[in-house]
Coordinates of all heavy atoms in Angstrom, one line a residue:
S247 N 137.4 104.8 78.1 CA 136.5 103.7 78.5 C 137.1 102.7 79.5 O 136.5 102.2 80.3 CB 136.0 102.9 77.3 OG 135.3 103.7 76.4
I248 N 138.5 102.5 79.4 CA 139.1 101.6 80.3 C 139.1 102.0 81.7 O 139.3 101.1 82.6 CB 140.6 101.3 79.8 CG1 141.4 102.6 79.9 CG2 140.6 100.7 78.5 CD1 142.9 102.4 79.6
I249 N 138.8 103.2 82.0 CA 138.7 103.6 83.4 C 137.3 104.1 83.8 O 137.0 104.6 84.9 CB 139.7 104.7 83.8 CG1 139.5 105.9 82.9 CG2 141.1 104.2 83.7 CD1 140.3 107.1 83.3
L250 N 136.3 103.9 82.9 CA 134.9 104.4 83.1 C 134.3 103.7 84.4 O 133.7 104.4 85.2 CB 134.1 104.1 81.9 CG 132.6 104.7 82.0 CD1 132.2 105.2 80.6 CD2 131.6 103.6 82.4
I251 N 134.4 102.4 84.5 CA 133.8 101.7 85.6 C 134.4 102.2 86.9 O 133.7 102.4 87.9 CB 134.0 100.2 85.5 CG1 133.2 99.7 84.2 CG2 133.5 99.5 86.7 CD1 131.7 99.8 84.3
E252 N 135.8 102.4 86.9 CA 136.5 102.8 88.1 C 136.0 104.2 88.5 O 135.8 104.5 89.7 CB 138.0 102.9 87.9 CG 138.6 101.5 87.9 CD 138.5 100.7 86.6 OE1 137.8 101.1 85.7 OE2 139.2 99.7 86.5
I253 N 135.7 105.1 87.5 CA 135.1 106.4 87.8 C 133.7 106.3 88.4 O 133.3 106.9 89.3 CB 135.1 107.3 86.5 CG1 136.6 107.6 86.1 CG2 134.4 108.6 86.8 CD1 136.7 108.3 84.8
Q254 N 133.0 105.4 87.7 CA 131.6 105.2 88.2 C 131.5 104.7 89.6 O 130.5 105.0 90.3 CB 130.9 104.2 87.2 CG 129.4 104.2 87.3 CD 128.7 103.5 86.2 OE1 129.3 103.3 85.1 NE2 127.4 103.1 86.3
D255 N 132.5 103.9 90.0 CA 132.5 103.4 91.4 C 132.8 104.4 92.4 O 132.7 104.1 93.6 CB 133.6 102.3 91.5 CG 133.5 101.5 92.7 OD1 132.3 101.1 93.1 OD2 134.5 101.2 93.4
T256 N 133.1 105.7 92.0 CA 133.3 106.7 93.0 C 132.0 107.5 93.3 O 131.9 108.3 94.2 CB 134.3 107.8 92.5 OG1 133.8 108.5 91.4 CG2 135.6 107.1 92.2
I257 N 130.9 107.2 92.5 CA 129.7 108.0 92.5 C 128.8 107.5 93.7 O 128.7 106.3 94.0 CB 128.9 107.8 91.2 CG1 129.7 108.5 90.1 CG2 127.5 108.5 91.3 CD1 129.0 108.2 88.7
R258 N 128.2 108.4 94.4 CA 127.4 108.1 95.6 C 126.2 107.2 95.2 O 125.7 107.2 94.1 CB 126.9 109.4 96.3 CG 126.0 110.2 95.5 CD 125.3 111.3 96.4 NE 126.3 112.2 97.0 CZ 126.3 113.5 96.7 NH1 125.4 114.0 95.9 NH2 127.2 114.3 97.3
A259 N 125.7 106.4 96.2 CA 124.7 105.4 96.0 C 123.4 106.0 95.5 O 123.1 107.2 95.8 CB 124.5 104.6 97.3
P260 N 122.5 105.2 94.8 CA 121.2 105.7 94.4 C 120.4 106.1 95.5 O 120.6 105.7 96.7 CB 120.6 104.4 93.7 CG 121.8 103.6 93.4 CD 122.8 103.8 94.5
P261 N 119.3 106.9 95.2 CA 118.9 107.4 93.9 C 119.6 108.7 93.5 O 120.0 109.4 94.5 CB 117.4 107.6 94.0 CG 117.2 108.0 95.4 CD 118.2 107.2 96.2
P262 N 119.8 109.1 92.2 CA 119.5 108.2 91.1 C 120.6 107.2 90.9 O 121.7 107.3 91.6 CB 119.6 109.2 89.9 CG 120.5 110.3 90.4 CD 120.3 110.4 91.9
S263 N 120.4 106.2 90.1 CA 121.4 105.1 89.9 C 122.7 105.7 89.4 O 122.8 106.7 88.8 CB 120.9 104.0 89.0 OG 120.8 104.5 87.7
E264 N 123.8 104.9 89.8 CA 125.1 105.3 89.3 C 125.2 105.4 87.8 O 125.9 106.2 87.2 CB 126.2 104.4 89.8 CG 126.3 104.3 91.3 CD 125.5 103.2 91.9 OE1 124.6 102.7 91.2 OE2 125.7 103.0 93.1
A265 N 124.4 104.5 87.1 CA 124.4 104.5 85.6 C 123.8 105.8 85.1 O 124.3 106.3 84.1 CB 123.6 103.3 85.1
K266 N 122.7 106.3 85.7 CA 122.1 107.5 85.2 C 123.1 108.7 85.4 O 123.2 109.5 84.5 CB 120.8 107.8 86.0 CG 119.6 106.9 85.5 CD 118.4 107.2 86.2 CE 117.2 106.4 85.8 NZ 115.9 106.7 86.5
V267 N 123.7 108.7 86.5 CA 124.7 109.8 86.8 C 125.8 109.8 85.8 O 126.3 110.8 85.2 CB 125.2 109.8 88.2 CG1 126.3 110.9 88.4 CG2 124.0 110.0 89.2
M268 N 126.3 108.5 85.5 CA 127.5 108.4 84.7 C 127.1 108.7 83.2 O 127.9 109.3 82.5 CB 128.0 106.9 84.7 CG 129.3 106.7 84.2 SD 130.6 107.6 85.2 CE 132.0 107.5 84.1
K269 N 125.9 108.4 82.8 CA 125.5 108.7 81.5 C 125.4 110.3 81.3 O 125.7 110.8 80.2 CB 124.1 108.1 81.2 CG 124.2 106.6 81.0 CD 122.8 105.9 80.8 CE 122.9 104.4 80.7 NZ 121.6 103.8 80.6
R270 N 124.9 110.9 82.3 CA 124.8 112.4 82.2 C 126.2 113.0 82.2 O 126.5 113.9 81.4 CB 124.1 113.0 83.5 CG 122.6 112.6 83.5 CD 121.9 113.0 84.8 NE 120.6 112.5 84.9 CZ 119.9 112.5 86.1 NH1 120.5 112.9 87.2 NH2 118.7 112.0 86.1
A271 N 127.1 112.4 83.0 CA 128.5 112.9 83.0 C 129.2 112.7 81.7 O 129.9 113.5 81.2 CB 129.3 112.2 84.1
T272 N 128.8 111.5 81.1 CA 129.4 111.2 79.7 C 128.9 112.2 78.7 O 129.6 112.7 77.8 CB 129.0 109.8 79.3 OG1 129.6 108.9 80.3 CG2 129.5 109.4 77.9
V273 N 127.6 112.5 78.7 CA 127.0 113.5 77.8 C 127.8 114.8 77.9 O 128.2 115.4 76.9 CB 125.5 113.7 78.0 CG1 125.0 114.9 77.2 CG2 124.7 112.5 77.6
I274 N 127.9 115.3 79.2 CA 128.5 116.6 79.4 C 130.0 116.6 78.9 O 130.5 117.5 78.2 CB 128.5 117.0 80.9 CG1 127.0 117.2 81.3 CG2 129.4 118.2 81.2 CD1 126.9 117.3 82.8
S275 N 130.7 115.5 79.3 CA 132.1 115.4 79.1 C 132.4 115.3 77.6 O 133.3 116.0 77.1 CB 132.7 114.3 79.9 OG 132.5 114.4 81.2
V276 N 131.7 114.4 76.9 CA 132.0 114.1 75.5 C 131.6 115.3 74.7 O 132.3 115.7 73.7 CB 131.3 112.9 75.0 CG1 131.4 112.7 73.5 CG2 131.9 111.6 75.7
A277 N 130.5 116.0 75.0 CA 130.1 117.2 74.3 C 131.1 118.3 74.5 O 131.5 119.0 73.5 CB 128.7 117.7 74.8

Side-chain angles (χ1 to χ4, degrees):
S247 296
I248 58 175
I249 57 170
L250 183 144
I251 296 292
E252 284 83 351
I253 293 173
Q254 195 166 342
D255 191 46
T256 67
I257 296 172
R258 63 168 63 119
S263 70
E264 298 91 349
K266 286 185 179 179
V267 175
M268 196 65 191
K269 288 174 185 178
R270 291 172 190 163
T272 297
V273 170
I274 293 170
S275 304
V276 173

